[in-house]
DNA sequence: AGCTCTTATGAATCATTGA
DNA sequence: GTCAATGATTCATAAGAGC
């Protein structure tokens, strides 16, 4: 089946109206964060943030399937030495719109920006808020089971070092068998804390989303041929990942420069889509080990 | 100077009135979480939680020094498939009492309770909310510095290898000085994500607090002879750690059984207090390495 | 292939300065 | 005063080169 990727240039508040009711399986987005400085991308003041976002979340509610999920990546800024409360106010207001606040994942940013301040430490985490329309929603937990990644690897490395010595006399008895034991205990369910480094590649957009993040949620909440929406597309990471994973997707972006950038990035992908096995085969499984 | 540890048996709402205004340097506590089942410890219903806590936080505001800090360990329960909102409502309400919500630390529980549910993963984090009375507060950041990762190690290794060559002719001039420079840069400031395993030892109390947690905040926000308060003492971890670190402390507990348990635990400590150097010398510095 | 070393870089804050 | 712009700051991590 052909995978479709649609891009809309414009304000989410308006563009979302073009999308059908109950047609989206997963919404995942990182909206412009509130900011004191008006000139940056978005530039919504903290005290206007809820008011600005509510019309959009209302449309998102309409277009999401009853079994779908909305993942919102956000973190409140420090304003005058205190954490802003607009995120909490947003959650409370969205519940009044009918959203269920199902879960809050933590994105632990392993390589947070350096710095020293007199009264706070480096901020190295962000919220990933999960909202749903109803208590029963689609979730494919097996898809995000993780190899005990580093654990298994380091155990194996240790083993090979210490056992190397012993093996001189033991002739490696049982060594192979032990390894196979570890390999069968290969996977475990993750928790609600995601450990990811921030991406360095997207220099053209301020909100650099590591690819592993949308990838993880797309695996968890959709299957092939489902439809993913990112109403604040930015550099298009979510759409590109969705496309690679054979999910249909819709992206909305208000800044023409970003819009065109993503258009360019998606062109070569369309070609690959004609050879689905090859494309999907290229999808890097190594990435999985990065999420613990 | 003699370190004092006071225990009060009773309801925090009442017992706190016995404490002087502006007399506490650090409040750190893990109050009974809201719970559907009334019979457990505390047993406050989620929708009554804010109402129940506000009179207490008001007293806490009164007894805390202007330069003091209040650390509140809390996490909302899942009620009917949805995260409760009482923590957010509490933060908003406490700000109206005059509290500044300065920061939110994440306690990542590395060994979270195992389990599998159809629509969520294991919950492996809790909130550590930092509140203050004013923007300027006491914070001793150097006390919680952590060994720097591999960087320092690899730099030192580099040095010793490359400089070894030079030293053959130079007779080690300045070599020692360089090393000492690097050794002082041995430690880095932590972030606002704490990686700690949950304690298993306190079987007698439902809220098992790892000792590293109060230890870290006591180091960060107090100095010797300061006064620490835990209005929901439970098994007394905070007080025992405070005592060991030569901080005065006050603990309040409503359940007689726990109160007496802590009394017992503190008796031998009082003896040691007559030999302060010995006692403090026993304080395990190795713990630091566990907090990253 | 595995190990070591190098290098680039990420949604940051705060105090200070100047308009 | 208020607001905006600027400089300084105790990093961790992955990817890539080199051996």
């Amino acid at each position: 089946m052909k995978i479709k990727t649609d891009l809309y240039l414009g304000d989410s508040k308006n563009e979302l109206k073009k999308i059908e009711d109950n047609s989206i399986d997963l919404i995942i987005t990182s909206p412009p964060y509130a900011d004191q400085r008006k000139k940056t991308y978005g530039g919504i003041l903290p005290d206007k943030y809820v008011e600005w976002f509510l019309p959009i979340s209302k449309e998102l509610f309409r277009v999401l399937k009853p079994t779908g999920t909305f993942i919102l990546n956000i973190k409140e800024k420090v304003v005058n030495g205190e954490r802003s409360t607009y995120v909490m106010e947003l959650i409370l207001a969205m519940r009044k719109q009918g959203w269920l606040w199902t879960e809050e994942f933590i994105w632990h940013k392993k390589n947070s920006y350096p710095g020293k301040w007199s009264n706070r430490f480096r901020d190295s985490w962000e919220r990933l808020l999960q909202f749903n329309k109803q208590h029963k929603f689609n979730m494919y937990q097996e898809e995000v089971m993780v190899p005990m990644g580093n654990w298994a690897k380091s155990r194996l490395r240790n083993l090979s070092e210490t056992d190397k010595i012993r093996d001189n006399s033991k002739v490696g008895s049982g060594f192979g068998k032990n390894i196979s034991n570890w390999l069968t205990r290969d996977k475990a369910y993750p928790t609600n804390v995601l450990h990811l480094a921030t991406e360095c590649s997207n220099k053209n957009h301020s909100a650099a989303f590591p690819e592993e993040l949308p990838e993880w949620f797309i695996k968890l909440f959709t299957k092939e041929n489902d439809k993913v929406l990112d109403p604040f597309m930015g550099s298009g990471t979510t759409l590109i990942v969705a496309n690679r994973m054979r999910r249909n997707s819709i992206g909305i972006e208000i800044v023409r420069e970003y819009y065109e950038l993503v258009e360019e990035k998606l062109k070569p992908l369309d070609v690959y889509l004609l050879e689905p096995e090859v494309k999907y085969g290229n999808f890097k499984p190594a990435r999985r080990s990065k999420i613990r």
Side-chain angles (χ1 to χ4, degrees), chain A residues 13 16 50-60 97:
Chain A
K13 201 165 106 183
L16 283 169
V50 176
E51 185 186 321
W52 168 79
F53 196 77
L54 283 182
I56 292 163
S57 59
K58 195 182 164 193
E59 284 299 303
L60 296 177
Q97 288 185 323

Side-chain angles (χ1 to χ4, degrees), chain A residues 243-258:
Chain A
N243 195 308
R244 192 167 62 197
M245 296 171 72
R246 299 193 55 73
R247 270 72 169 173
N248 298 293
S249 55
I250 300 178
I252 304 173
E253 176 55 51
I254 196 168
V255 180
R256 180 177 293 273
E257 190 190 335
Y258 297 141

Side-chain angles (χ1 to χ4, degrees), chain A residues 28-280:
Chain A
I28 175 164
T29 197
S30 185
Y33 291 8
D35 206 320
Q36 296 287 68
R37 295 157 298 164
K38 288 189 183 176
K39 291 188 181 177
T40 54
Y41 178 74
I44 299 100
L45 292 171
D47 54 338
K48 302 284 181 195
Y49 200 85
V50 176
E51 185 186 321
W52 168 79
F53 196 77
L54 283 182
I56 292 163
S57 59
K58 195 182 164 193
E59 284 299 303
L60 296 177
F61 193 90
R62 182 182 61 75
V63 302
L64 189 67
K65 281 187 193 169
T67 54
T69 294
F70 174 22
I71 298 292
L72 178 60
N73 169 221
I74 200 163
K75 177 69 186 272
E76 55 271 27
K77 287 275 167 69
V78 172
V79 175
N80 195 21
E82 198 183 2
R83 287 279 168 200
S84 288
T85 56
Y86 58 86
V87 173
M88 294 184 305
E89 283 154 16
L90 181 61
I91 294 172
L92 296 174
M94 282 177 63
R95 288 184 78 246
K96 285 184 188 158
Q97 288 185 323
W99 288 105
L100 299 173
W101 178 41
T102 313
E103 181 58 302
E104 178 171 349
F105 292 85
I106 294 294
W107 170 20
H108 172 213
K109 296 185 286 183
K110 289 187 296 186
N111 61 342
S112 60
Y113 203 89
K116 183 194 177 314
W117 305 275
S118 61
N119 59 358
R120 64 178 62 250
F121 291 131
R122 285 176 296 156
D123 189 7
S124 69
W125 65 278
E126 296 194 12
R127 303 176 195 279
L128 290 160
L129 304 169
Q130 178 189 343
F131 294 97
N132 291 94
K133 288 175 85 164
Q134 57 184 36
H135 292 102
K136 290 271 177 193
F137 49 87
N138 293 331
M139 193 178 194
Y140 311 99
Q141 297 191 343
E142 324 72 46
E143 298 298 319
V144 294
M145 287 185 79
V146 287
M148 313 222 148
N150 301 329
W151 180 82
K153 231 194 266 177
S154 61
R155 279 302 280 269
L156 283 172
R157 203 184 306 146
N158 276 348
L159 189 78
S160 61
E161 295 218 357
T162 55
D163 275 34
K164 233 179 247 170
I165 301 160
R166 276 188 245 155
D167 283 350
N168 288 336
S169 55
K170 267 196 185 179
V171 200
S173 66
F175 185 64
K177 193 175 175 235
N178 283 336
I179 283 187
S180 70
N181 276 344
W182 272 304
L183 289 178
T184 59
R185 297 191 55 196
D186 205 14
K187 287 164 183 269
Y189 287 103
T191 70
N192 58 359
V193 178
L194 277 58
H195 302 265
L196 297 172
T198 52
E199 200 98 334
C200 318
S201 57
N202 288 319
K203 292 168 203 163
N204 294 311
H205 189 261
S206 57
F209 220 49
E211 292 198 353
E212 289 88 347
L213 207 58
E215 182 182 318
W216 196 78
F217 286 108
I218 289 171
K219 273 195 282 197
L220 179 58
F221 290 117
T222 70
K223 49 190 195 305
E224 281 197 24
N225 300 310
D226 276 1
K227 195 178 278 186
V228 177
L229 165 66
D230 185 346
F232 302 97
M233 186 173 65
S235 58
T237 308
T238 300
L239 266 73
I240 288 158
V241 172
N243 195 308
R244 192 167 62 197
M245 296 171 72
R246 299 193 55 73
R247 270 72 169 173
N248 298 293
S249 55
I250 300 178
I252 304 173
E253 176 55 51
I254 196 168
V255 180
R256 180 177 293 273
E257 190 190 335
Y258 297 141
Y259 173 86
E260 287 170 353
L261 194 83
V262 178
E263 235 180 355
E264 283 305 309
K265 282 193 202 169
L266 283 169
K267 265 180 195 164
L269 291 180
D270 277 327
V271 176
Y272 286 121
L273 286 175
L274 301 172
E275 313 165 83
E277 308 86 346
V278 176
K279 179 61 204 148
Y280 194 58

